Amino acid sequence: AHKLRYSYSRRIFRPYYSDLNPFLFYDDPYTITRGNPFLSPQYSNSFELTYILFQAVNISASYSYTNDLISDISFQDGRTITNTKENINRQDNLNFNFSAPTEITDWWGGYLWVGVYANLFDDKVGGEELSFNQWGLNSFLSQTFQVDDWSLEISGFFNSRSRSIIFENGANGGVNVSVGKRLLKGKGFVKVGVTDVFKTNQFIRNADFGNVRFNSLGTFESRGLSVSMGYNKIELVNKTK
């Protein structure tokens, strides 16, 4: 019923071709993106301890550090911003995760995952000192309700504010809902679902470091309507003599 697991891994991540391509790409009249041909691979070392209870509840704690971290960096010249990639000396990361099924009754069940993390950084970026300890939280919750032939599924996620070297990312989240019904004595079904019901899944990024000052807001095509139907023609026959 109780398990304790320890793991260690060392990984290498090489930059993509687009990260190395030095040619300029004009996203708009004030934003330029270019690669950095001098990027080096980044190396990560990770240590993790996991406790498992009844093959269902998982609690884990991990620590990792990354050398030559490949990071997004921006430089500003007047009203023009250039986005590129650079190697940062080192970043440390702490993670604490909890996940478990949430079986409340025969007709109500689900799943919960919560992750708390900290990014620790102290180095020079573009010749200027940058130091921060950024704590954050990510979570996901799914709940399913089944009454006779009807089912209701509600799921959602939330990501708190986070920090990515010189950038501050705003919080975001989303809620999905679907309703289903079994038909034809359980052989068929129909399900209708809506994703990102409240249109809260968005991208917010701000920067205020060195000579870089900007605020950006982006939205995803995350709200959608889906309809699915199915019919099972397979019948299992148990014959005994």
Side-chain angles (χ1 to χ4, degrees):
H2 303 268
K3 288 186 178 180
L4 191 63
R5 183 173 62 204
Y6 171 77
S7 66
Y8 164 77
S9 65
R10 176 175 170 82
R11 299 181 179 180
I12 179 173
F13 177 81
R14 302 184 186 278
Y16 297 111
Y17 171 79
S18 58
D19 297 336
L20 300 170
N21 189 346
F23 292 100
L24 302 181
F25 296 89
Y26 290 85
D27 302 320
D28 57 53
Y30 305 104
T31 308
I32 299 171
T33 299
R34 65 172 175 83
N36 180 0
F38 303 104
L39 283 177
S40 299
Q42 71 177 35
Y43 297 87
S44 298
N45 292 269
S46 178
F47 309 83
E48 183 174 18
L49 184 65
T50 303
Y51 170 67
I52 304 173
L53 177 63
F54 301 127
Q55 298 290 331
V57 178
N58 284 263
I59 303 173
S60 67
S62 66
Y63 164 72
S64 66
Y65 64 91
T66 302
N67 294 320
D68 291 327
L69 175 71
I70 298 175
S71 177
D72 295 319
I73 298 293
S74 294
F75 302 95
Q76 188 166 346
D77 183 9
R79 300 180 64 183
T80 302
I81 291 178
T82 300
N83 300 316
T84 186
K85 304 276 188 177
E86 281 196 3
N87 287 110
I88 306 301
N89 184 32
R90 173 168 167 154
Q91 179 172 278
D92 295 74
N93 179 267
L94 294 172
N95 274 287
F96 304 94
N97 296 293
F98 171 85
S99 65
T102 55
E103 300 296 334
I104 299 175
T105 67
D106 293 339
W107 52 270
W108 181 4
Y111 174 79
L112 170 67
W113 173 80
V114 177
V116 178
Y117 66 88
N119 292 325
L120 316 175
F121 182 84
D122 186 4
D123 198 4
K124 286 187 176 182
V125 177
E128 297 194 32
E129 292 288 343
L130 178 62
S131 177
F132 65 82
N133 296 334
Q134 174 69 52
W135 286 87
L137 179 143
N138 298 325
S139 61
F140 173 81
L141 177 66
S142 175
Q143 297 291 285
T144 302
F145 306 88
Q146 183 75 48
V147 179
D148 296 330
D149 290 332
W150 288 91
S151 65
L152 172 65
E153 296 180 18
I154 303 175
S155 65
F157 74 94
F158 172 76
N159 300 322
S160 68
R161 292 177 55 191
S162 62
R163 183 73 179 261
S164 178
I165 308 303
I166 71 170
F167 302 105
E168 293 185 1
N169 304 309
N172 75 327
V175 175
N176 307 319
V177 178
S178 67
V179 178
K181 189 179 189 310
R182 291 196 296 257
L183 306 171
L184 304 173
K185 297 181 179 180
K187 293 183 178 181
F189 74 90
V190 61
K191 179 182 287 189
V192 179
V194 179
T195 58
D196 196 10
V197 176
F198 303 106
K199 196 63 176 177
T200 52
N201 188 9
Q202 57 188 1
F203 175 79
I204 303 172
R205 172 167 279 191
N206 306 315
D208 185 2
F209 178 77
N211 68 337
V212 181
R213 305 284 187 278
F214 76 82
N215 303 296
S216 63
L217 171 64
T219 58
F220 304 101
E221 295 182 359
S222 53
R223 177 184 286 171
L225 174 67
S226 65
V227 179
S228 59
M229 294 178 288
Y231 180 75
N232 183 12
K233 297 178 63 176
I234 300 177
E235 294 186 4
L236 299 178
V237 179
N238 183 18
K239 294 184 178 181
T240 59
K241 293 183 180 181

